[in-house]
Amino acid sequence: MNWLRDYIDIDIDINEFAEKITMSGTLVENIDILGEDIKNVVVGKIETVVQHPNADKLLICQVNTGREKIQVITGADNVAEGDYVPVAVHGAVLPGGMNVEKGELRGEISEGMLCSADELGIPKAMVPEKIKDGIWILDKAYPLGEDVANVLNLRDEIIEFEITSNRPDCLSIIGIAREAGATLNKKINYPEIEVKETEEKADDCISVEIEDTEGCSRYVARVIKNIKIAPSPQWMQQRLIGAGVRPINNIVDITNYVMLEYGQPLHAFDLSFIEGNKIIVRKAGNNESFITLDGAERKLDTSMTVIADTKKSLAIAGVMGGEQSEVTANTDTILLESANFNARTTRLTSKKLSLRTEASSRFEKGVDPNIARLAADRACQLIVQLGAGEVLKGAVDVYPEKVKPHRVTIRPKKINDFLGISLSNEEMADTLKRLELETKNSENAIEVTVPTYRMDLLMEADFAEEVARIFGYDKIVPTMAKGNIVVGGKPDNEVIEDVAKNLLNGMGFNEILTYSFVSPKTIDMINLSENSSKRNMVRLINPLGDETSVMRTSLLPNMLEVVARNINHRVENFKAFEIGQIFIPKTGSENELPYEVPGLVMAMYGEGDFFTLKGVIEALLSNLGIKEHEFIVEENHPTYHPGRCANIVARDRVLGTVGELHPIVIENYDLGRRCYCAELDFSIVLEFTQIEKSYEPLAKYPSITRDFAVVVDKTVLAKQIEDIIKAEGGNILESFKLFDVYEGDQIGEGLKNIAYTVTYRDRKRTLTDEEVKTIHNSILTEINKKLGGKLRQ
């Protein structure tokens, strides 16, 4: 904010400013207040440094704080007589609440503490290398005794914005200043740029040729001689640190400073490494090898643009410079590059090389080519101002097709009707002028000249948005919509999914959400065979690691990881479900996107067993209108316990599987207890679901109910009896219900008693006892004949 205030007078509280600029369309994500908790830390000068008599690694410093001379003991080895340093005197408070008091250290009095940048609240990653592991040595003599936080501008507000991809102009301090100016209706004070130049001309030292005009629309080169590499002044370092950029040296810091200020990336080359004194912007060679500034070797291809000389490549355009032409402490003359590179080419290059930089992130969103010369001149001005070099006269500026401001005609009445406001032509034009747009009024229209940095303003609707946000969304009176209104809604599959989630929530199941990227080893974990179709996975081209290298073909492994985590956290009872996508590759085509199939997985342990989960599935399917379903024993599924597993079948299609996990799977996930799971193909569930309820009038004629209990072998399944009831019940069978299962001494070993209630009804007439008796006896006869069941009296 201190930097922003250089360009615009912001005289309101930071929170009020954040609210106003958010309402005008530039969303504030976060505000950090820096330095407010620093107290009694002052500028001091080290007058003497001697070895501690009782400790080899400690030094005793006599420090002049302006008001008094104090003795301070330090373990840092980068201090020397004459250094100006931050001194926390007795009673000082440092960020994080640390208090500094007088004390004794190895028999010597210490009356304060010399501070490192880290101790004053500057993140270690942002601290310059020179002072990273020691005391912060100030860059020059400051008034002794002055508050360090004030002298070094440590008290500041860092405001973080969410910048949308259509507003690359806001990826700069000046871009934000324009938004602030429009929001607060205040004028912007742009930097006054004047460059002190030598008589020697830049074009005598360098020439530029753009061969790849598609990849580079403009290239500005300026030459600076007698370079003096040194640390940047403290004010510049502080601004870079506040913006999240670590200071390096004056030349690098100036290029970063101007990039943050104007949004134009710059790059400096050591001119002595440029062969033929010529810059050529061309396509890279196929499989060309190039070593970037980070020391990594990159393989380039012909889709990429490079900056080269007559013999070799010097930089990957818009992404990163090369190691060979890097500016070093021995550099005498630099070529300063300020160019404009194609957004699409930069984005694809950055993606192919897995190399994203501050420069590439700006170029890939679009940078105004008309600020290239301005930014180069601003950098040169700072170089002269900081005594870092001498700027040669003029610049080599190759700009084949100049981009000019375009004009758009808007209709105020149309915009007023669209927004529901009533601004006059003049008021609307004044609103647009706050955004630094030139306007020309006529009777029914306004002609707007759009500056080249506003690449997002192309049509009338774009200007309606600008008018609305600057006028104030909060000032637009809400009104009812008029005309033919089409009321939207969720598609059927989402409605059904919501119903399923609500049903499962109502039955005590919590919804989870897991990642689609998994390890190929997950299929081994659930004990599937080597030839299982689920081993055919979609593999990621550029995975973060083996653990997330493929797309899942089953939801179960993710669920079991959640189960294991809950068991480890001593959760005694667990019920959860997930509705998510699995990914099936299309056969014979690696380039096509995979099939995305919705699935449902459920898991539970603790209270309940197989039959509890089976009941949940029955309730779910019944409420979704899938009434004709059954459970068929499955003994060969490798994930589930043999004999404790069933397939869920409806209309001769398998919806899924439910069962108790196989002991091998339980061991693989180290569960240590029984766990019951179910997997359903939710695409089939969506296909069969019938949410609409159909009305059926109450029956006019009475029903007749009969109970029976049969003794059968323990191996007989209830389903086998129910199949006979369905087959023999005919048209008058209305329903049946299992109400008792008994095993005990009274019926003999290896047997069980199963009891049912069967209801008969004819909707067209009253049934006779004789009709019901005939059907009922037929059921009992078939149970005896097929299953050996004997009627229990």
Side-chain angles (χ1 to χ4, degrees):
M1 288 300 293
N2 288 342
W3 192 354
L4 184 63
R5 290 188 179 100
D6 280 357
Y7 314 118
I8 182 169
D9 177 25
I10 300 174
D11 54 1
I12 56 177
D13 173 75
I14 182 66
N15 293 305
E16 184 182 352
F17 171 70
E19 183 180 353
K20 285 180 178 292
I21 202 164
T22 295
M23 288 302 295
S24 70
T26 310
L27 177 63
V28 172
E29 285 194 325
N30 187 48
I31 299 173
D32 284 329
I33 309 298
L34 304 183
E36 63 178 349
D37 47 359
I38 298 176
K39 296 177 182 176
N40 289 337
V41 181
V42 301
V43 175
K45 181 182 180 182
I46 300 175
E47 296 193 337
T48 63
V49 179
V50 297
Q51 184 69 46
H52 193 295
N54 304 317
D56 293 339
K57 296 185 177 180
L58 295 179
L59 300 173
I60 299 176
C61 302
Q62 300 299 324
V63 182
N64 185 352
T65 65
R67 303 186 190 94
E68 58 181 338
K69 292 183 180 180
I70 62 174
Q71 178 170 291
V72 179
I73 298 175
T74 180
D77 59 3
N78 68 321
V79 294
E81 292 180 5
D83 285 344
Y84 283 76
V85 292
V87 185
V89 298
H90 175 72
V93 179
L94 299 179
M98 178 181 175
N99 295 301
V100 178
E101 305 287 345
K102 290 181 181 179
E104 187 177 299
L105 198 59
R106 294 286 185 94
E108 295 288 338
I109 296 295
S110 183
E111 300 174 281
M113 185 176 84
L114 307 184
C115 298
S116 67
D118 185 38
E119 287 162 338
L120 291 177
I122 296 176
K124 207 160 190 176
M126 296 293 105
V127 177
E129 284 292 336
K130 187 176 179 181
I131 59 169
K132 197 167 190 176
D133 298 314
I135 300 304
W136 189 353
I137 309 301
L138 303 183
D139 62 323
K140 63 180 182 179
Y142 291 96
L144 297 179
E146 288 291 315
D147 187 331
V148 160
N150 292 337
V151 168
L152 302 181
N153 287 319
L154 296 181
R155 291 192 177 95
D156 198 356
E157 302 109 343
I158 305 295
I159 189 163
E160 193 173 327
F161 294 98
E162 178 189 313
I163 304 301
T164 54
S165 58
N166 68 321
R167 291 300 307 275
D169 59 298
C170 288
L171 291 172
S172 63
I173 301 291
I174 284 179
I176 294 296
R178 289 194 192 102
E179 289 299 301
T183 300
L184 304 176
N185 198 13
K186 290 193 173 184
K187 187 179 178 182
I188 301 168
N189 301 312
Y190 290 101
E192 295 182 5
I193 301 175
E194 292 183 7
V195 183
K196 184 180 178 182
E197 300 175 332
T198 67
E199 290 301 317
E200 189 177 356
K201 295 181 180 180
D203 54 15
D204 291 337
C205 300
I206 195 75
S207 62
V208 174
E209 179 183 354
I210 301 178
E211 290 182 3
D212 180 13
T213 53
E214 180 186 2
C216 177
S217 60
R218 186 180 189 183
Y219 196 101
V220 175
R222 296 213 65 163
V223 179
I224 302 98
K225 284 192 171 182
N226 298 324
I227 292 295
K228 299 177 183 65
I229 302 294
S232 309
Q234 204 61 56
W235 63 267
M236 181 174 284
Q237 290 191 30
Q238 284 303 112
R239 289 187 172 182
L240 293 175
I241 289 168
V245 177
R246 183 166 63 91
I248 306 294
N249 59 51
N250 50 5
I251 299 300
V252 175
D253 292 353
I254 286 169
T255 60
N256 285 332
Y257 184 90
V258 174
M259 177 183 69
L260 293 170
E261 185 178 41
Y262 279 91
Q264 169 67 51
L266 304 174
H267 186 71
F269 298 99
D270 187 326
L271 189 64
S272 65
F273 288 99
I274 300 177
E275 300 281 354
N277 288 342
K278 185 175 184 179
I279 289 289
I280 303 170
V281 185
R282 59 168 173 81
K283 289 292 186 186
N286 194 31
N287 209 31
E288 179 179 344
S289 180
F290 183 75
I291 299 176
T292 46
L293 279 171
D294 57 2
E297 184 176 357
R298 315 279 178 178
K299 292 295 182 182
L300 312 182
D301 62 43
T302 55
S303 69
M304 303 174 185
T305 303
V306 295
I307 312 303
D309 57 25
T310 56
K311 292 185 179 180
K312 63 184 179 300
S313 294
L314 303 171
I316 303 171
V319 181
M320 186 178 280
E323 187 177 57
Q324 194 173 3
S325 59
E326 180 182 7
V327 174
T328 67
N330 298 321
T331 299
D332 177 71
T333 305
I334 65 170
L335 180 144
L336 182 68
E337 168 194 281
S338 179
N340 189 271
F341 300 112
N342 182 276
R344 182 176 179 275
T345 302
T346 305
R347 180 177 62 82
L348 292 176
T349 300
S350 177
K351 186 177 180 181
K352 283 182 180 180
L353 298 177
S354 297
L355 182 61
R356 188 172 176 82
T357 61
E358 286 282 352
S360 69
S361 68
R362 283 167 170 77
F363 280 125
E364 68 186 27
K365 293 177 179 66
V367 175
D368 177 15
N370 289 323
I371 64 169
R373 176 64 188 266
L374 186 69
D377 290 348
R378 173 62 166 162
C380 290
Q381 178 189 30
L382 291 170
I383 288 172
V384 173
Q385 182 180 321
L386 302 185
E390 299 173 1
V391 179
L392 270 59
K393 190 173 184 179
V396 179
D397 186 355
V398 181
Y399 194 2
E401 294 185 19
K402 188 171 182 179
V403 177
K404 297 180 180 179
H406 65 279
R407 293 181 176 83
V408 178
T409 300
I410 63 172
R411 296 162 291 175
K413 185 179 185 305
K414 180 77 173 177
I415 292 177
N416 280 330
D417 291 344
F418 179 63
L419 298 177
I421 59 177
S422 55
L423 292 178
S424 67
N425 286 24
E426 290 73 20
E427 289 172 325
M428 193 171 292
D430 288 342
T431 301
L432 296 173
K433 285 176 183 176
R434 287 168 60 174
L435 292 162
E436 299 194 346
L437 305 177
E438 293 182 14
T439 62
K440 183 179 179 182
N441 287 14
S442 61
E443 186 175 350
N444 299 314
I446 300 174
E447 185 181 78
V448 185
T449 302
V450 183
T452 51
Y453 60 80
R454 286 303 304 269
M455 305 174 188
D456 57 313
L457 300 181
L458 301 173
M459 59 184 73
E460 192 171 47
D462 298 327
F463 293 91
E465 180 184 0
E466 298 300 293
V467 169
R469 71 186 185 90
I470 300 304
F471 173 76
Y473 292 117
D474 54 329
K475 297 178 184 177
I476 299 176
V477 180
T479 57
M480 291 295 293
K482 299 176 182 178
N484 297 322
I485 303 169
V486 178
V487 179
K490 290 186 176 181
D492 291 344
N493 63 315
E494 291 187 17
V495 172
I496 295 168
E497 187 176 310
D498 288 345
V499 170
K501 288 178 180 180
N502 288 334
L503 288 168
L504 290 169
N505 287 149
M507 290 184 276
F509 282 71
N510 294 306
E511 184 180 5
I512 68 168
L513 182 65
T514 61
Y515 290 112
S516 299
F517 301 152
V518 297
S519 166
K521 297 176 183 177
T522 56
I523 300 302
D524 295 326
M525 296 284 284
I526 59 174
N527 199 33
L528 293 184
S529 63
E530 289 296 327
N531 58 359
S532 171
S533 61
K534 292 190 177 180
R535 291 185 181 275
N536 183 23
M537 296 176 158
V538 177
R539 297 193 173 274
L540 303 182
I541 295 172
N542 189 22
L544 294 175
D546 187 61
E547 293 301 309
T548 54
S549 61
V550 295
M551 305 289 283
R552 64 187 178 189
T553 54
S554 171
L555 298 175
L556 186 60
N558 289 5
M559 173 60 79
L560 294 181
E561 288 178 7
V562 176
V563 169
R565 196 175 304 121
N566 278 270
I567 289 174
N568 290 336
H569 290 153
R570 302 184 184 278
V571 177
E572 292 301 318
N573 296 294
F574 175 89
K575 292 180 180 178
F577 75 93
E578 179 178 11
I579 297 177
Q581 307 290 327
I582 62 172
F583 303 86
I584 310 299
K586 292 182 179 177
T587 55
S589 178
E590 295 182 358
N591 297 324
E592 286 192 66
L593 294 175
Y595 296 108
E596 295 187 34
V597 182
L600 166 64
V601 63
M602 292 181 273
M604 59 177 285
Y605 66 77
E607 294 179 358
D609 55 17
F610 171 87
F611 296 102
T612 307
L613 187 54
K614 175 174 175 282
V616 169
I617 295 169
E618 287 181 322
L620 173 66
L621 296 180
S622 178
N623 278 280
L624 292 177
I626 309 174
K627 300 188 182 300
E628 297 299 322
H629 60 269
E630 57 184 346
F631 294 79
I632 300 175
V633 174
E634 170 59 65
E635 297 182 345
N636 299 314
H637 199 300
T639 302
Y640 297 96
H641 197 298
R644 300 175 190 171
C645 174
N647 287 327
I648 310 156
V649 179
R651 305 183 200 173
D652 297 326
R653 292 173 68 182
V654 178
L655 296 183
T657 307
V658 59
E660 179 183 328
L661 287 180
H662 197 287
I664 292 176
V665 179
I666 289 175
E667 183 179 345
N668 287 343
Y669 285 94
D670 195 23
L671 303 182
R673 64 192 302 168
R674 290 184 173 185
C675 182
Y676 306 92
C677 297
E679 300 171 84
L680 278 75
D681 186 331
F682 206 69
S683 64
I684 302 177
V685 173
L686 293 171
E687 182 182 339
F688 288 175
T689 294
Q690 184 65 42
I691 294 180
E692 292 79 11
K693 306 297 182 184
S694 57
Y695 169 73
E696 188 175 281
L698 294 173
K700 296 180 181 179
Y701 302 99
S703 63
I704 297 176
T705 303
R706 295 283 186 268
D707 295 345
F708 70 84
V710 291
V711 178
V712 295
D713 191 273
K714 284 179 68 173
T715 60
V716 173
L717 302 176
K719 182 180 181 303
Q720 292 174 281
I721 297 175
E722 292 171 2
D723 286 344
I724 292 174
I725 295 173
K726 292 176 187 176
E728 299 298 322
N731 294 331
I732 67 170
L733 176 67
E734 183 174 74
S735 64
F736 57 86
K737 183 179 181 182
L738 173 69
F739 69 85
D740 186 44
V741 178
Y742 170 74
E743 297 178 26
D745 296 337
Q746 297 181 26
I747 57 172
E749 188 176 350
L751 300 174
K752 63 182 175 183
N753 178 75
I754 297 183
Y756 279 90
T757 294
V758 184
T759 302
Y760 302 96
R761 190 197 303 267
D762 191 318
R763 292 188 166 272
K764 296 180 180 178
R765 59 186 177 84
T766 301
L767 292 173
T768 64
D769 286 342
E770 193 63 31
E771 287 177 292
V772 172
K773 183 179 180 181
T774 301
I775 296 294
H776 197 70
N777 287 341
S778 176
I779 292 172
L780 297 175
T781 300
E782 286 299 305
I783 291 173
N784 177 263
K785 180 179 175 181
K786 294 180 177 179
L787 304 176
K790 296 180 180 179
L791 188 65
R792 189 179 183 200
Q793 303 297 328

